[in-house]
Amino acid sequence: MDASQLDAALGRWLARQPNLDACHCHTQIKLEYGDVEPAQRATLELPGWVIIDWGARGTGISARRAAPAAGYEPRAGRLLEALDSLLLRAHIQMVVAPADDWDAAYGEASLAPDLMPVIDAGRAVLLNLTAVRENGAWRVVRAYQPPDEENIAHEFTLTIDN
C-alpha cells in the first residue's frame, strides 16, 4: 500500500473509536536507530511535528499537540514520505482520549505531550502499529491495542474490491 492508503487505514481505525466528538487524538512515530539522521534532516518539512529523542526508548517524530479526534485525518504515512530511505521501519502510536485528559500532558517547556498522564487516566484507547516501507510500499507487520496484545494487522491490509 502507498502512504495515503496507510493513512486511510489508520483513519478507519480511528473512526471506529467511541465518542470521538469529546476526544482528542495524538500521533507519534518511533523510528529505528538508522533513521534518526534522515528524520533530523527532514525537520523543516514537518510543520506541526517535532523530532523527539526519548533516550533509551528511541527517537522519532511526535505531533506537537493532540488534535480534536472528530475529523482528524491521520498523516503518518504521508509525513514519512519526507524521509529519504529505501527501507524504513516505523512504530506508529495513536492515542485517543477525552479532551480534558490532555491538559495534564503539557508542561511549560514541553515540545510534545507527555502521554503517561493521559494513559494513566484510564480512558485512553491506544493503537500500536509497526509498518515497514520498502521501495515506497508500506506493509503493516503488527498492530495491537494495549493492553490487548492480539495482532490485528489484518485490519490494516489493503483489500481490492472486484
Side-chain angles (χ1 to χ4, degrees), residues 98-111:
D100 294 340
D101 289 354
W102 288 97
D103 292 339
Y106 300 102
E108 289 182 29
S110 62
L111 294 175

Side-chain angles (χ1 to χ4, degrees), residues 59-79:
T59 302
I61 304 167
S62 177
R64 289 185 188 272
R65 299 198 61 83
Y72 181 79
E73 188 177 320
R75 298 184 32 205
R78 286 171 285 176
L79 184 71

